[in-house]
């Protein structure tokens, strides 16, 4: 092998590797020097990811083609590296390996052709850029490789069919037995490989470096939590790309613009301008064009504001449902960048959509989103024998966190009262904070008002610190996510459980009996903050399965693929501009499955879907009900 | 140009959930401390005037008495004001209690002294305050300062020349009028656009900004009209409960007038029809209305 390489060839390889190295180093420096702590990195996770390619296989055809191309690139590379160590294989084994290589080459050819066809058919401005060049180079490598093999066999064994080199043998029949031709093909093959190596940082193939890095450095903590802003240091969100952390920039680099996020984004689907793909691509574009160093260093001009490339109308349309994060094959997260854009918009420029200002002001003054005040927070509990933690701390095992919706909204108050009925029937020693409870702060945080969030959180944390750590049971997944995943960053670790999980536990322990039947057909609408954020899908379904007479049907878009109700991310208080209302889109989808009952696990979903189905004005309107309500009705 | 905005810190009672007549049926969480929203509206008007007509203007906030709503005052400062001045007068008592506030004459006199010391060209204040609602400060200020006064304005803009101001106000029943008024002048402001959101950098500045104290001795002349009694509202029941017929009339009337909360006795049966029927049967059996076969 080594004897075939001339000095020129070695020089070319060296140049190619240099080009690749320099290019990658430039890309690397783009984010490697930025702020943020570097996590340890999960090598086992990366290897599992590369071997299984599960996320990419979610689009089956593309996934298979990608596997073919992936192994077609990786295995020969490994073989070339191994071949440098110069060892002799037994003839039989080398023939088998040759055959496998041919088969792999064939599959890779088919895969590459499929991807080319797909790329030429789907032309989207937002789609992956600079792919055709890359596919051309790959095809050149493949075709020239097969042709060279064919020519070689044509010269050596013109009549015999070599079983271990089927493709070559076929070509050997038609090609001229010309050493010049063979040499030409080998040269072309070699040059094409050098070109491939050299263009890694400059073409679509950069994802082969960036994506595994992104997978390697994937956030390991369970649960999705927005990062806490250390406001004192002036960190108020993302004005321009210089304010993003290295991981956020790596995300942007690893994005392959496949569009799965956009396909599953409720705002996108319902016709809004928001496209998570565009967010990632714009960040990458700005970072490459303007650099990411702060303007102070080296007198560079300040990069333009991100909000000029990603308009406020777009990032206010996000419902923070996390579908983009769940569907991304390279684990990029558009969500936290959208929230950082919002944070700067609110705290750096004072621009909050007008509809939400009243709610934020109410949160500021009264500590709840409805503006009714702490004095009325426990009105729902009057004369229902609900102990208040302040006086009952000694005999309490469970703290029932009610949340703003459950405390003040008439429809959600019924759910809270149903939960109390369940707890009392099961003989659970629980208590509520009552008037001492404040909003968990989720709407403020999602809308970008971090100062308000931290203040509300501190007020609540003071209450938690006063009493011994009880298990917190909450009815609202937003409160669940905030208390469980976001309060620890503020110094308060709590054991938080959702009401459906807790009630399922009571049922399993035999403390509850679901006696009264309900002969209806029910579908569970998975709440984004319960499902994708916290991985709780089974508990509501198990609860419903235990109710006699209830038939469960599964919606098409459920579990991780569930469609948002449109209320999250502070959008409950915002108007929808353009397209259709997200809750109506979801309500229509559910109504099409002809269920009589829609089971929800979140007060936002309850209100949004209820409005949605009612606005459809169907003959048989499905009834939207919280799973806790259904369970309480069936209680014996 | 100096624009002086008079803002009042109020103790806003939004609920009366207490049972104690001594404390006028108030619980601690029934009140919040905030800035009078009419005064916030006047600050927003001043900010808009400055944005549009006089970018170099100084907006000075003027408040009176002890700092019961300091964070809110600083928030107003962060929204765009340049300075916060506080008048301290030696006759001050607890500000929580509207009964114990000085009367409008005294307040207007103190404010006027501060305005004259600061030299304001436009003086804005709220139309009335949410806690006492006397609505006199603007007029009294204008009288003492001998400046023209327009009440309840909703818009402020510059006129043809630098010392002419145009104000818009509602003249009742949908009629709007625009008046031309020479500066310096006093205006009281009606509710309008909400006060803008302060940006974070200004919030940080406002947190540490020093409040300028202005000390004045109390006014010699006492008020002519003095509050002699104050009747707090009776807590209104949300839903009037059915009085218990077994109680005497006096107690039944007491029940009707009791608290702002609903007195709900007994069990409310919820759930499916089967569970409700079971609940009714259990109640009837438990209270001896029906004898169960096995007794």
């Amino acid at each position: 092998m080594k004897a075939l390489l001339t000095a020129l060839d070695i020089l070319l390889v060296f140049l190619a590797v240099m080009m690749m190295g320099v290019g990658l180093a430039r890309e690397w420096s783009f984010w490697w020097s930025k702020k943020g702590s570097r996590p340890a990195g999960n090598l086992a996770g990366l290897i599992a990811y590369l071997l299984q390619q599960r996320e990419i296989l979610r689009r089956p055809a593309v996934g298979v083609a990608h596997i073919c191309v992936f192994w077609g690139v990786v295995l020969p590379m490994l073989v070339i590296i191994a071949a440098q160590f110069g060892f002799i294989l037994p003839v039989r084994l080398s023939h088998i390996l040759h055959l496998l290589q041919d088969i792999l080459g064939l599959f890779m050819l088919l895969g590459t052709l499929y991807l080319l066809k797909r790329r030429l058919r789907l032309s989207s401005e937002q789609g992956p850029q600079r792919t055709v060049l890359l596919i051309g180079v790959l095809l050149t490598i493949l075709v020239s490789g097969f042709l060279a093999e064919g020519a070689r066999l044509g010269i050596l064994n013109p009549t015999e069919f070599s079983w271990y080199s089927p493709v070559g043998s076929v070509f050997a029949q038609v090609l001229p037995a010309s050493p010049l031709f063979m040499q030409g093909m080998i040269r072309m093959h070699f040059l094409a490989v050098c070109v491939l190596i050299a263009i890694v940082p400059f073409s679509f193939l950069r994802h082969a470096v960036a994506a595994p890095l992104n997978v390697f450095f994937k956030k390991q903590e369970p649960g999705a939590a927005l990062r806490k802003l250390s406001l004192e240091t002036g960190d108020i969100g993302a004005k321009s790309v210089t304010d993003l952390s290295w991981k956020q920039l790596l995300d942007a680099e690893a994005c392959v613009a496949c569009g799965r996020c956009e396909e599953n984004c409720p705002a996108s689907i319902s016709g809004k301008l928001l496209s998570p793909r565009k967010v990632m691509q714009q960040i990458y574009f700005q970072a490459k064009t303007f650099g990411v160093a702060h303007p102070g260093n080296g007198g560079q001009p300040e990069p333009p504001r991100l909000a000029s490339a990603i308009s406020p109308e777009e990032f206010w349309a996000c419902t923070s449902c996390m579908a983009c994060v769940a569907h991304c094959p390279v684990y990029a997260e558009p969500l936290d960048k959208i929230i950082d854009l919002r944070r700067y918009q609110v705290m750096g420029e004072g621009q909050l959509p007008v509809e939400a200002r009243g709610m934020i002001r109410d949160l500021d003054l009264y500590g709840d989103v409805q503006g009714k005040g702490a004095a009325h927070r426990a009105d729902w509990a009057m004369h229902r024998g609900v102990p208040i933690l302040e006086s009952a701390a000694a005999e309490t095992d469970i703290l029932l966190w009610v949340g703003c919706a459950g405390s003040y909204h008439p429809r959600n108050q019924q759910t809270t009262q149903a939960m109390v009925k369940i707890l009392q029937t099961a003989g659970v020693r629980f208590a509520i904070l009552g008037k001492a409870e404040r909003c968990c702060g989720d709407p403020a945080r999602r809308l970008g008002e971090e100062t308000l969030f931290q203040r509300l959180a501190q007020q609540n944390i003071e209450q938690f610190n006063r009493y011994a750590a009880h298990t917190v049971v909450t009815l609202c997944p937003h409160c669940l996510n905030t208390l469980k995943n976001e309060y620890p960053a503020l110094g308060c670790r709590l054991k938080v459980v959702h009401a459906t999980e807790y009630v399922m536990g009571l049922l399993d322990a035999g403390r509850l009996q679901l006696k009264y039947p309900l002969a209806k057909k029910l579908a569970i609408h998975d709440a984004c903050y319960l499902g994708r954020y916290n991985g709780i899908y089974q508990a509501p379904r198990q609860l419903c399965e235990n109710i006699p007479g209830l038939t469960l049907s599964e919606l098409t878009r459920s579990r991780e693929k569930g469609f948002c109700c449109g209320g999250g991310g502070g959008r409950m208080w915002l108007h929808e501009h353009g397209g259709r209302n997200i809750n109506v889109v979801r309500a229509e989808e559910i109504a099409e499955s002809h269920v009589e009952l829609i089971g929800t696990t979140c007060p936002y979903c309850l209100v949004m879907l209820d409005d949605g189905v009612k606005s459809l004005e169907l003959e048989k309107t499905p009834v939207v009900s919280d799973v806790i309500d259904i369970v309480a009705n069936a209680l014996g | 140009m100096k624009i002086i905005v008079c803002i009042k810190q109020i103790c806003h009672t939004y609920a009366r959930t207490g049972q104690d007549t001594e404390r006028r049926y108030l619980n601690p969480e029934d009140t919040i401390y905030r800035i009078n929203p009419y005064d916030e509206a006047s600050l927003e008007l001043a900010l808009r005037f400055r944005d549009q007509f006089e970018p170099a203007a100084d907006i000075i906030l003027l408040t009176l008495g002890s700092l019961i709503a300091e964070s809110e005052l600083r928030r107003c400062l962060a929204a765009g004001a340049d300075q916060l001045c506080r008048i301290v007068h030696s006759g001050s008592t607890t500000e929580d209690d509207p009964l114990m506030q000085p009367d409008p004459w005294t307040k207007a006199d103190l404010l006027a002294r501060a305005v004259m010391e600061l030299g304001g060209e436009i003086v804005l204040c709220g139309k009335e305050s949410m806690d006492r609602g006397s609505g006199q400060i603007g007029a009294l200020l204008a009288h003492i300062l001998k400046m023209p006064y327009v009440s309840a304005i909703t818009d402020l803009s510059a006129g043809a020349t630098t010392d002419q101001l145009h104000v818009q106000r509602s003249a009742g029943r949908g009629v709007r009028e625009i008046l031309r008024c020479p500066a310096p002048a006093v205006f009281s402001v009606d509710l309008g656009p909400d006060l803008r959101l302060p940006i974070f950098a200004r919030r940080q500045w406002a947190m540490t900004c020093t409040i300028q104290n202005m000390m004045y001795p109390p006014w010699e002349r006492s008020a002519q009209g003095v509050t002699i009694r104050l009747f707090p509202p009776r807590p209104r029941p949300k839903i009037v409960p059915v009085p218990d017929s077994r109680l005497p009339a006096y107690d039944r009337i007491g029940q009707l007038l009791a608290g702002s909360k609903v007195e709900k006795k007994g069990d409310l049966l919820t759930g499916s029809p089967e569970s409700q029927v079971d609940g009714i049967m259990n109640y009837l059996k438990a209270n001896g209305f029906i004898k169960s076969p096995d007794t």
Side-chain angles (χ1 to χ4, degrees), chain B residues 78-93:
Chain B
D82 298 296
Q83 204 184 339
L84 176 59
C85 296
R86 170 190 162 212
I87 300 168
V88 183
H89 64 109
S90 38
S92 46
T93 50

Side-chain angles (χ1 to χ4, degrees), chain B residues 277-293:
Chain B
V277 164
D278 275 357
I280 294 171
M281 291 302 291
N282 290 339
Y283 177 83
L284 293 173
K285 284 185 198 149
N287 289 288
F289 293 102
I290 301 178
K291 288 194 183 47
S292 38

Side-chain angles (χ1 to χ4, degrees), chain B residues 235-244 251-265:
Chain B
R236 276 172 292 143
K238 287 207 189 93
I239 302 170
V240 177
V242 176
D244 190 350
D251 293 328
R252 292 206 298 273
I253 291 175
Q255 275 195 324
L256 283 170
L257 294 173
S260 62
K261 299 181 188 180
V262 175
E263 300 276 326
K264 218 173 185 76
K265 297 278 185 328

Side-chain angles (χ1 to χ4, degrees), chain B:
Chain B
M1 178 193 244
K2 279 199 187 149
I3 306 174
I4 297 181
V5 182
C6 303
I7 56 178
K8 183 179 184 187
Q9 306 160 76
I10 59 173
C11 173
H12 175 44
T13 306
Y14 67 87
R16 273 173 206 274
T17 58
Q19 307 295 330
D20 194 356
T21 29
E22 296 295 307
R23 300 222 209 107
R24 277 188 246 118
Y25 304 104
L26 287 176
N27 272 334
E29 58 273 337
D30 288 343
T31 52
I32 55 166
Y33 295 98
R34 60 177 298 187
I35 303 293
N36 182 23
Y38 292 91
D39 297 335
E40 286 183 346
S42 57
L43 176 57
E44 179 62 22
L45 218 60
L47 291 166
R48 288 186 183 209
F49 179 79
R50 180 174 68 179
D51 287 342
Q52 213 179 345
F53 301 104
E54 295 277 344
D58 262 339
I59 296 180
I60 302 169
L61 300 177
L62 197 53
T63 189
L64 187 59
S66 45
L67 296 171
I68 55 172
E70 188 174 346
S71 58
E72 290 292 312
L73 272 180
R74 290 186 185 274
R75 185 176 181 272
C76 287
L77 194 54
D82 298 296
Q83 204 184 339
L84 176 59
C85 296
R86 170 190 162 212
I87 300 168
V88 183
H89 64 109
S90 38
S92 46
T93 50
T94 53
E95 301 297 323
D96 304 15
D97 200 338
L99 185 60
M100 305 309 286
Q101 283 177 28
D103 58 281
W105 270 120
T106 311
K107 288 195 272 195
D109 177 66
L110 289 164
L111 287 168
R113 278 191 241 182
V115 169
M116 284 192 284
E117 188 177 319
L118 292 165
E121 274 159 50
I122 304 178
V123 182
L124 297 170
C125 63
K127 178 178 88 167
E128 60 183 21
S129 71
M130 243 163 83
D131 57 350
R132 278 202 80 202
S134 54
Q136 295 181 30
I137 295 293
L140 295 174
L141 254 183
H143 169 75
I144 298 170
L145 294 166
K146 297 188 176 36
M147 289 185 192
Y149 171 66
V150 184
S151 64
I153 68 168
T154 49
D155 195 37
L156 175 67
S157 47
T161 53
T162 45
D163 57 350
Q164 294 289 333
L165 298 165
H166 283 182
V167 294
Q168 189 184 103
R169 64 186 301 277
S170 160
R173 301 188 67 81
V175 180
R176 305 201 136 267
E177 57 181 0
I178 299 184
L179 296 99
R180 186 179 59 227
C181 188
V186 178
F187 302 117
S188 75
V189 179
D190 202 354
L191 289 178
D194 282 334
L195 185 60
R196 56 192 61 176
L197 237 59
I199 66 174
F200 185 74
R202 281 204 59 94
R203 266 196 227 239
Q204 278 190 308
W205 166 78
M207 290 299 272
T208 50
C209 189
T210 7
I211 302 176
Q212 213 176 327
N213 288 332
M214 305 167 90
M215 321 278 284
Y216 297 122
W219 197 23
E220 295 305 323
R221 197 169 87 185
S222 56
Q224 302 292 306
V226 179
T227 311
I228 52 171
R229 279 190 77 179
L230 192 70
F231 292 99
R234 283 270 197 179
R236 276 172 292 143
K238 287 207 189 93
I239 302 170
V240 177
V242 176
D244 190 350
S245 333
R246 289 171 292 188
L247 292 175
Y250 180 82
D251 293 328
R252 292 206 298 273
I253 291 175
Q255 275 195 324
L256 283 170
L257 294 173
S260 62
K261 299 181 188 180
V262 175
E263 300 276 326
K264 218 173 185 76
K265 297 278 185 328
D267 254 334
L268 184 66
L269 296 173
T270 53
S272 59
E274 294 88 345
S275 74
Q276 288 174 346
V277 164
D278 275 357
I280 294 171
M281 291 302 291
N282 290 339
Y283 177 83
L284 293 173
K285 284 185 198 149
N287 289 288
F289 293 102
I290 301 178
K291 288 194 183 47
S292 38
D294 40 69
T295 52

